[in-house]
Amino acid sequence: MQLSTISGDRGERLDTPSGAQDLKRGRTLAGLLFCAPAILGLLIFTLYPMLASLYYSFTRYSVMKPPVWVGATNYAHLAHDELFWKSLGNTAYYAVIAVPLGIVVALGLALLLNMKVRGQALYRTFFFVPSIVPLVASSVLWIWLFNPQNGAINALLRPIFASLGLGEPPGWFADPAWSKPAIILWSLWGVGGSMVIFLAALQDVPQELHEAAEVDGARAWHRVRHITLPFISPQILFVLIMGMIGAFQFFTPAYVMTQGTGGPVDSTLFYSLYLFNVAFADFKMGYACALAWILFLLILAFTALIFRTSARFVYYAGEGR
């Protein structure tokens, strides 16, 4: 093989095939060294725990004693575990209502805050700040607000309920029928992050299309329905997937608001909270690992399903769909 005399980025001579190979090998080695911290971190802190949890899911393991291989017993036991189905139902209830409702509220706020009004930046800050409040702090705050006797929410609702003859306002976290709706209301407190994503997406919607539609007599709702929503549909898809994953992993507020019990009557026993209790209260690590892998497979399946069907409602500019 005959190579012409050329120089590499650092002036190396490549007169011979061996010189070129040495340069290529050196660059490969340098690249691997630069990537080594990330690769080692991935192997040590992600891949190994995942493989270890998969192994432990087939064992009876209490941390205090060595694991004992039990095959698929943990997975078979899930089918007869009432709390497993209860926590799965609570999580599905939260995901089905809170995620779409959060998208609607965030999108509505983004549309309103995209209008050219005085104090626009102040309004945007006002709605975004709650999303950066620590989860524990906001959970404690809403426990006070939802207090059935002394909370601010029931103080506002009490005269309204009395005038309508409806009796006392809801008991919120003291009532199994209202505990999950209370948590869903709390979730709307943190839609500021999604709102900012939608606000950024709205800046890329071509205004000439809105102007042309307005000239043709299209009303505001039709312009939003047929112009705005298609253009920001990729961002809606992103928020939907992240919201769905977050709903399946919903833990901190439920733990703080119920002191880890999932009460009343297991009405707020979400999947991750049940998994945590099994692992660190009952010390059934093998069973908890089986729960974790079922959760992983559920998230994987729903994410794949959303991606599979996204072509029907997501528009990507330039793809002609």
Coordinates of all heavy atoms in Angstrom, one line a residue, residues 78-150:
L78 N -45.9 -12.7 43.1 CA -46.5 -11.4 42.8 C -48.0 -11.6 42.4 O -48.8 -10.7 42.6 CB -45.7 -10.7 41.6 CG -44.4 -10.2 42.0 CD1 -43.6 -9.7 40.7 CD2 -44.5 -9.1 43.0
A79 N -48.3 -12.7 41.7 CA -49.7 -12.9 41.2 C -50.7 -13.0 42.3 O -51.8 -12.7 42.1 CB -49.7 -14.1 40.3
H80 N -50.2 -13.4 43.5 CA -51.1 -13.6 44.7 C -50.9 -12.5 45.7 O -51.5 -12.6 46.8 CB -50.9 -15.0 45.3 CG -50.9 -16.1 44.3 ND1 -52.1 -16.5 43.7 CD2 -49.9 -16.8 43.7 CE1 -51.8 -17.5 42.8 NE2 -50.5 -17.7 42.8
D81 N -50.1 -11.5 45.4 CA -49.8 -10.4 46.4 C -50.9 -9.3 46.2 O -50.8 -8.5 45.2 CB -48.4 -9.9 46.2 CG -48.0 -8.9 47.2 OD1 -48.9 -8.4 48.0 OD2 -46.8 -8.5 47.3
E82 N -51.8 -9.1 47.2 CA -52.8 -8.1 47.1 C -52.2 -6.7 47.1 O -52.7 -5.8 46.4 CB -53.8 -8.3 48.3 CG -54.6 -9.6 48.2 CD -55.7 -9.6 49.3 OE1 -55.7 -8.6 50.1 OE2 -56.4 -10.6 49.4
L83 N -51.2 -6.5 47.9 CA -50.6 -5.1 47.9 C -49.9 -4.8 46.6 O -49.9 -3.6 46.3 CB -49.6 -5.0 49.1 CG -50.2 -5.0 50.5 CD1 -49.2 -5.0 51.6 CD2 -51.2 -3.9 50.6
F84 N -49.4 -5.8 45.9 CA -48.8 -5.6 44.6 C -49.8 -5.0 43.7 O -49.6 -4.0 43.0 CB -48.2 -6.8 44.1 CG -47.8 -6.8 42.6 CD1 -46.8 -6.1 42.1 CD2 -48.6 -7.5 41.7 CE1 -46.5 -6.0 40.8 CE2 -48.4 -7.5 40.3 CZ -47.3 -6.7 39.9
W85 N -51.0 -5.7 43.6 CA -52.0 -5.2 42.7 C -52.6 -3.9 43.1 O -53.0 -3.1 42.3 CB -53.1 -6.3 42.6 CG -52.6 -7.5 41.9 CD1 -52.4 -8.8 42.5 CD2 -52.3 -7.7 40.5 NE1 -51.9 -9.6 41.5 CE2 -51.9 -9.0 40.3 CE3 -52.3 -6.8 39.4 CZ2 -51.5 -9.5 39.1 CZ3 -51.9 -7.3 38.2 CH2 -51.5 -8.6 38.0
K86 N -52.7 -3.7 44.5 CA -53.2 -2.4 45.0 C -52.3 -1.3 44.6 O -52.8 -0.2 44.1 CB -53.3 -2.5 46.5 CG -53.9 -1.3 47.2 CD -55.4 -1.2 47.0 CE -56.0 0.0 47.8 NZ -57.4 0.1 47.6
S87 N -51.0 -1.5 44.8 CA -50.1 -0.4 44.5 C -50.0 -0.2 43.0 O -49.9 1.0 42.5 CB -48.7 -0.8 45.0 OG -48.2 -2.0 44.3
L88 N -50.1 -1.2 42.2 CA -50.2 -1.1 40.7 C -51.4 -0.3 40.3 O -51.3 0.6 39.4 CB -50.1 -2.5 40.1 CG -49.7 -2.5 38.6 CD1 -48.4 -1.9 38.3 CD2 -49.8 -3.9 38.1
G89 N -52.5 -0.6 40.9 CA -53.8 0.2 40.6 C -53.7 1.6 41.0 O -54.1 2.5 40.2
N90 N -53.1 1.9 42.2 CA -53.0 3.3 42.6 C -52.0 4.1 41.6 O -52.3 5.2 41.3 CB -52.4 3.3 44.0 CG -53.4 2.9 45.1 OD1 -54.6 2.9 44.8 ND2 -52.9 2.5 46.2
T91 N -51.0 3.4 41.2 CA -50.0 4.0 40.3 C -50.7 4.3 38.9 O -50.5 5.4 38.3 CB -48.7 3.2 40.1 OG1 -48.2 2.9 41.4 CG2 -47.7 3.9 39.3
A92 N -51.4 3.3 38.4 CA -52.1 3.5 37.2 C -53.1 4.6 37.2 O -53.2 5.5 36.3 CB -52.8 2.2 36.7
Y93 N -53.8 4.7 38.4 CA -54.8 5.8 38.6 C -54.1 7.2 38.5 O -54.6 8.1 37.8 CB -55.5 5.6 40.0 CG -56.5 6.6 40.4 CD1 -57.8 6.3 40.3 CD2 -56.1 7.9 40.9 CE1 -58.8 7.3 40.7 CE2 -57.0 8.8 41.2 CZ -58.4 8.5 41.2 OH -59.3 9.4 41.6
Y94 N -53.0 7.3 39.2 CA -52.3 8.5 39.2 C -51.7 8.9 37.8 O -51.8 10.0 37.3 CB -51.1 8.4 40.2 CG -50.2 9.6 40.2 CD1 -50.6 10.8 40.9 CD2 -49.0 9.6 39.6 CE1 -49.8 11.9 40.9 CE2 -48.2 10.7 39.6 CZ -48.6 11.9 40.3 OH -47.8 13.0 40.3
A95 N -51.1 7.8 37.1 CA -50.5 8.1 35.8 C -51.6 8.5 34.8 O -51.4 9.4 34.0 CB -49.8 6.9 35.3
V96 N -52.7 7.8 34.8 CA -53.8 8.1 33.8 C -54.4 9.5 33.9 O -54.7 10.1 33.0 CB -54.9 7.0 33.9 CG1 -56.1 7.4 33.0 CG2 -54.3 5.7 33.4
I97 N -54.5 10.0 35.2 CA -55.1 11.3 35.4 C -54.1 12.4 35.5 O -54.3 13.4 34.9 CB -56.0 11.2 36.7 CG1 -57.1 10.2 36.5 CG2 -56.6 12.6 37.0 CD1 -58.0 10.0 37.7
A98 N -53.1 12.2 36.3 CA -52.1 13.3 36.6 C -51.3 13.7 35.4 O -51.1 14.9 35.2 CB -51.2 12.9 37.8
V99 N -50.9 12.7 34.6 CA -50.0 13.1 33.5 C -50.7 13.9 32.4 O -50.3 15.0 32.0 CB -49.3 11.8 32.9 CG1 -48.5 12.1 31.6 CG2 -48.4 11.1 33.9
P100 N -51.9 13.4 31.9 CA -52.6 14.2 30.9 C -53.0 15.5 31.4 O -53.0 16.6 30.8 CB -53.8 13.3 30.5 CG -53.4 12.0 30.9 CD -52.5 12.1 32.1
L101 N -53.5 15.5 32.7 CA -54.0 16.8 33.3 C -52.8 17.8 33.5 O -53.0 19.0 33.2 CB -54.6 16.5 34.7 CG -55.3 17.7 35.4 CD1 -56.4 18.2 34.5 CD2 -55.8 17.2 36.7
G102 N -51.6 17.3 33.8 CA -50.5 18.2 33.9 C -50.1 18.8 32.6 O -49.7 19.9 32.5
I103 N -50.2 17.9 31.5 CA -49.8 18.5 30.2 C -50.8 19.5 29.8 O -50.4 20.6 29.2 CB -49.9 17.3 29.2 CG1 -48.7 16.3 29.4 CG2 -49.8 17.8 27.7 CD1 -48.7 15.1 28.5
V104 N -52.1 19.3 30.0 CA -53.1 20.3 29.7 C -52.9 21.6 30.4 O -53.0 22.7 29.8 CB -54.6 19.8 29.9 CG1 -55.6 20.9 29.8 CG2 -54.9 18.6 29.0
V105 N -52.7 21.5 31.7 CA -52.5 22.7 32.5 C -51.2 23.5 32.1 O -51.2 24.7 31.9 CB -52.4 22.4 34.0 CG1 -52.0 23.6 34.9 CG2 -53.7 21.9 34.5
A106 N -50.1 22.7 31.9 CA -48.8 23.3 31.5 C -49.0 24.0 30.1 O -48.5 25.1 29.9 CB -47.7 22.3 31.5
L107 N -49.7 23.3 29.2 CA -49.8 23.9 27.9 C -50.7 25.1 27.9 O -50.4 26.1 27.2 CB -50.4 22.8 26.9 CG -50.6 23.2 25.5 CD1 -49.3 23.7 24.9 CD2 -51.2 22.1 24.7
G108 N -51.8 25.1 28.7 CA -52.7 26.2 28.9 C -51.9 27.4 29.4 O -52.0 28.6 28.9
L109 N -51.1 27.2 30.4 CA -50.3 28.3 31.0 C -49.3 28.8 30.0 O -49.1 30.0 29.9 CB -49.6 27.8 32.3 CG -50.4 27.5 33.5 CD1 -49.5 26.9 34.6 CD2 -51.0 28.8 34.0
A110 N -48.7 27.9 29.2 CA -47.7 28.4 28.2 C -48.4 29.3 27.2 O -47.8 30.3 26.8 CB -47.0 27.2 27.6
L111 N -49.6 28.9 26.7 CA -50.3 29.7 25.7 C -50.6 31.0 26.3 O -50.5 32.1 25.6 CB -51.6 28.9 25.3 CG -51.3 27.7 24.4 CD1 -52.6 26.9 24.2 CD2 -50.7 28.1 23.1
L112 N -51.1 31.1 27.5 CA -51.4 32.4 28.2 C -50.2 33.2 28.3 O -50.2 34.4 28.1 CB -52.1 32.1 29.5 CG -53.5 31.6 29.5 CD1 -54.0 31.2 30.9 CD2 -54.5 32.5 28.8
L113 N -49.1 32.6 28.8 CA -47.9 33.4 29.1 C -47.1 33.7 27.8 O -46.1 34.4 27.9 CB -47.0 32.6 30.1 CG -47.6 32.4 31.4 CD1 -46.7 31.5 32.3 CD2 -47.8 33.7 32.1
N114 N -47.5 33.2 26.7 CA -46.9 33.5 25.4 C -47.4 34.8 24.8 O -46.9 35.3 23.8 CB -47.0 32.4 24.4 CG -46.1 32.5 23.3 OD1 -44.9 32.8 23.4 ND2 -46.6 32.2 22.1
M115 N -48.5 35.3 25.4 CA -49.1 36.5 24.9 C -48.3 37.7 25.3 O -47.6 37.7 26.4 CB -50.5 36.7 25.5 CG -51.5 35.6 25.1 SD -53.1 35.9 25.8 CE -54.1 34.5 25.1
K116 N -48.2 38.7 24.5 CA -47.4 39.9 24.8 C -48.2 40.8 25.7 O -49.0 41.6 25.3 CB -47.1 40.6 23.4 CG -46.5 39.7 22.4 CD -45.2 39.1 22.8 CE -44.6 38.3 21.7 NZ -43.4 37.6 22.2
V117 N -47.9 40.7 27.0 CA -48.6 41.5 28.0 C -47.5 42.1 28.9 O -46.4 41.6 29.0 CB -49.6 40.7 28.8 CG1 -50.7 40.2 27.9 CG2 -48.9 39.5 29.5
R118 N -47.9 43.2 29.6 CA -47.0 43.8 30.5 C -46.7 42.9 31.7 O -47.7 42.3 32.2 CB -47.5 45.1 31.0 CG -46.6 45.9 31.9 CD -47.2 47.2 32.3 NE -47.3 48.1 31.2 CZ -47.9 49.3 31.3 NH1 -48.3 49.8 32.4 NH2 -48.0 50.1 30.2
G119 N -45.5 42.8 32.1 CA -45.1 41.9 33.3 C -45.0 40.4 32.9 O -45.2 39.6 33.7
Q120 N -44.8 40.2 31.6 CA -44.8 38.8 31.1 C -43.7 38.0 31.9 O -44.0 36.8 32.3 CB -44.5 38.8 29.6 CG -44.5 37.4 29.0 CD -44.1 37.5 27.5 OE1 -43.0 38.0 27.2 NE2 -44.9 37.1 26.6
A121 N -42.5 38.5 32.0 CA -41.4 37.8 32.7 C -41.8 37.5 34.2 O -41.5 36.4 34.7 CB -40.1 38.6 32.6
L122 N -42.5 38.4 34.8 CA -42.9 38.2 36.2 C -43.9 37.1 36.3 O -43.8 36.2 37.2 CB -43.5 39.5 36.8 CG -43.9 39.5 38.2 CD1 -42.7 39.3 39.1 CD2 -44.7 40.8 38.6
Y123 N -44.8 37.0 35.4 CA -45.8 36.0 35.4 C -45.2 34.6 35.2 O -45.5 33.6 35.8 CB -46.9 36.2 34.4 CG -47.8 37.4 34.6 CD1 -48.1 38.3 33.6 CD2 -48.3 37.6 35.9 CE1 -48.9 39.4 33.9 CE2 -49.1 38.7 36.1 CZ -49.4 39.6 35.1 OH -50.2 40.7 35.4
R124 N -44.2 34.6 34.2 CA -43.5 33.3 33.9 C -42.7 32.8 35.2 O -42.7 31.6 35.5 CB -42.6 33.5 32.7 CG -43.3 33.7 31.4 CD -42.3 33.9 30.3 NE -43.0 34.0 29.0 CZ -42.4 34.2 27.8 NH1 -41.1 34.3 27.8 NH2 -43.1 34.3 26.7
T125 N -42.1 33.8 35.8 CA -41.3 33.4 37.0 C -42.2 32.9 38.1 O -41.9 31.9 38.8 CB -40.5 34.6 37.6 OG1 -39.7 35.1 36.5 CG2 -39.7 34.3 38.7
F126 N -43.4 33.5 38.3 CA -44.4 33.2 39.3 C -44.8 31.7 39.1 O -44.9 31.0 40.1 CB -45.5 34.1 39.2 CG -46.6 33.8 40.2 CD1 -46.5 34.1 41.5 CD2 -47.8 33.2 39.8 CE1 -47.6 33.8 42.4 CE2 -48.8 32.8 40.7 CZ -48.7 33.2 42.0
F127 N -45.1 31.3 37.9 CA -45.5 29.9 37.7 C -44.4 28.9 37.6 O -44.7 27.7 37.8 CB -46.3 29.9 36.4 CG -47.7 30.5 36.5 CD1 -48.0 31.7 35.9 CD2 -48.7 29.8 37.1 CE1 -49.3 32.3 36.1 CE2 -50.0 30.4 37.3 CZ -50.3 31.6 36.7
F128 N -43.2 29.4 37.4 CA -42.1 28.4 37.3 C -41.5 28.1 38.6 O -41.0 27.0 38.9 CB -41.0 29.0 36.3 CG -39.8 28.1 36.3 CD1 -39.8 26.8 35.6 CD2 -38.6 28.4 36.8 CE1 -38.8 26.0 35.6 CE2 -37.5 27.6 36.8 CZ -37.6 26.4 36.1
V129 N -41.4 29.1 39.5 CA -40.7 28.9 40.8 C -41.2 27.7 41.6 O -40.4 26.9 42.2 CB -40.9 30.2 41.7 CG1 -40.5 29.9 43.1 CG2 -40.0 31.3 41.1
P130 N -42.5 27.4 41.7 CA -42.9 26.2 42.4 C -42.3 24.9 42.0 O -42.1 23.9 42.8 CB -44.5 26.1 42.2 CG -44.8 27.5 42.0 CD -43.7 28.1 41.2
S131 N -41.9 24.8 40.7 CA -41.3 23.6 40.2 C -39.9 23.3 40.7 O -39.4 22.2 40.5 CB -41.3 23.6 38.6 OG -40.5 24.6 38.1
I132 N -39.3 24.3 41.2 CA -37.9 24.1 41.7 C -37.9 24.1 43.2 O -36.8 24.0 43.8 CB -36.9 25.3 41.2 CG1 -37.4 26.6 41.7 CG2 -36.8 25.2 39.7 CD1 -36.5 27.8 41.3
V133 N -39.0 24.1 43.9 CA -39.1 23.9 45.3 C -38.8 22.5 45.6 O -39.4 21.6 44.9 CB -40.5 24.3 45.8 CG1 -40.6 24.0 47.3 CG2 -40.7 25.8 45.6
P134 N -38.0 22.1 46.6 CA -37.7 20.7 46.9 C -39.0 20.0 47.2 O -39.9 20.5 47.8 CB -36.8 20.8 48.2 CG -36.2 22.2 48.0 CD -37.2 23.1 47.4
L135 N -39.0 18.7 46.8 CA -40.2 17.9 46.9 C -40.7 17.7 48.3 O -41.9 17.8 48.6 CB -40.0 16.5 46.3 CG -40.0 16.4 44.7 CD1 -39.6 15.0 44.3 CD2 -41.3 16.9 44.2
V136 N -39.7 17.6 49.2 CA -40.1 17.4 50.7 C -40.7 18.7 51.2 O -41.8 18.6 51.9 CB -38.8 17.0 51.5 CG1 -39.2 17.0 53.0 CG2 -38.3 15.7 51.1
A137 N -40.2 19.8 50.9 CA -40.7 21.1 51.4 C -42.1 21.3 50.8 O -43.0 21.7 51.5 CB -39.8 22.2 51.0
S138 N -42.3 21.1 49.5 CA -43.6 21.3 48.9 C -44.6 20.3 49.5 O -45.8 20.6 49.6 CB -43.6 21.2 47.4 OG -43.2 19.9 47.0
S139 N -44.2 19.1 49.7 CA -45.1 18.0 50.3 C -45.6 18.5 51.7 O -46.8 18.4 52.0 CB -44.4 16.7 50.4 OG -44.0 16.3 49.1
V140 N -44.7 19.0 52.5 CA -45.0 19.4 53.9 C -46.0 20.6 53.8 O -47.0 20.7 54.5 CB -43.8 19.8 54.7 CG1 -44.2 20.4 56.0 CG2 -42.9 18.6 54.9
L141 N -45.7 21.5 52.8 CA -46.6 22.7 52.7 C -48.0 22.3 52.3 O -49.0 22.8 52.9 CB -46.0 23.6 51.5 CG -46.9 24.7 51.1 CD1 -47.1 25.7 52.2 CD2 -46.3 25.4 49.9
W142 N -48.1 21.3 51.4 CA -49.5 20.9 51.0 C -50.2 20.0 52.0 O -51.4 19.9 52.0 CB -49.4 20.2 49.6 CG -49.3 21.2 48.5 CD1 -48.1 21.8 48.1 CD2 -50.3 21.7 47.7 NE1 -48.4 22.7 47.1 CE2 -49.8 22.6 46.8 CE3 -51.7 21.5 47.7 CZ2 -50.5 23.4 45.9 CZ3 -52.5 22.2 46.8 CH2 -51.9 23.1 45.9
I143 N -49.4 19.4 52.9 CA -50.1 18.7 54.0 C -50.8 19.7 54.9 O -51.9 19.5 55.3 CB -49.0 17.9 54.9 CG1 -48.5 16.7 54.1 CG2 -49.6 17.5 56.2 CD1 -47.4 16.0 54.8
W144 N -50.2 20.9 55.1 CA -50.8 21.9 55.9 C -52.0 22.5 55.1 O -53.1 22.7 55.7 CB -49.9 23.1 56.1 CG -48.7 22.7 57.0 CD1 -48.7 21.7 57.9 CD2 -47.5 23.4 57.2 NE1 -47.5 21.6 58.6 CE2 -46.7 22.7 58.1 CE3 -46.9 24.5 56.6 CZ2 -45.4 23.1 58.5 CZ3 -45.6 24.9 56.9 CH2 -44.9 24.2 57.9
L145 N -51.9 22.7 53.8 CA -53.0 23.2 53.0 C -54.2 22.3 53.0 O -55.3 22.7 53.0 CB -52.5 23.6 51.6 CG -51.5 24.7 51.4 CD1 -51.0 24.8 50.0 CD2 -52.0 26.0 51.9
F146 N -53.9 21.0 52.9 CA -55.0 20.0 52.8 C -55.5 19.5 54.2 O -56.3 18.6 54.3 CB -54.5 18.7 52.1 CG -54.5 18.9 50.6 CD1 -53.3 18.7 49.8 CD2 -55.7 19.2 49.9 CE1 -53.4 18.8 48.5 CE2 -55.7 19.4 48.5 CZ -54.5 19.2 47.8
N147 N -55.0 20.2 55.3 CA -55.5 19.8 56.6 C -57.0 19.9 56.6 O -57.6 21.0 56.4 CB -54.9 20.7 57.7 CG -55.2 20.2 59.1 OD1 -56.4 20.3 59.5 ND2 -54.2 19.7 59.8
P148 N -57.8 18.9 57.0 CA -59.3 18.9 56.9 C -59.8 20.0 57.9 O -60.9 20.6 57.5 CB -59.7 17.5 57.3 CG -58.5 16.7 57.1 CD -57.3 17.5 57.3
Q149 N -59.2 20.2 59.0 CA -59.8 21.1 60.0 C -59.2 22.6 59.8 O -60.0 23.5 59.8 CB -59.5 20.7 61.5 CG -60.3 19.5 61.9 CD -59.9 18.2 61.3 OE1 -58.7 18.0 61.3 NE2 -60.8 17.3 61.0
N150 N -57.9 22.7 59.7 CA -57.3 24.0 59.7 C -56.6 24.4 58.4 O -56.0 25.5 58.4 CB -56.3 24.1 60.9 CG -56.9 23.7 62.2 OD1 -57.9 24.1 62.6 ND2 -56.1 22.8 62.9

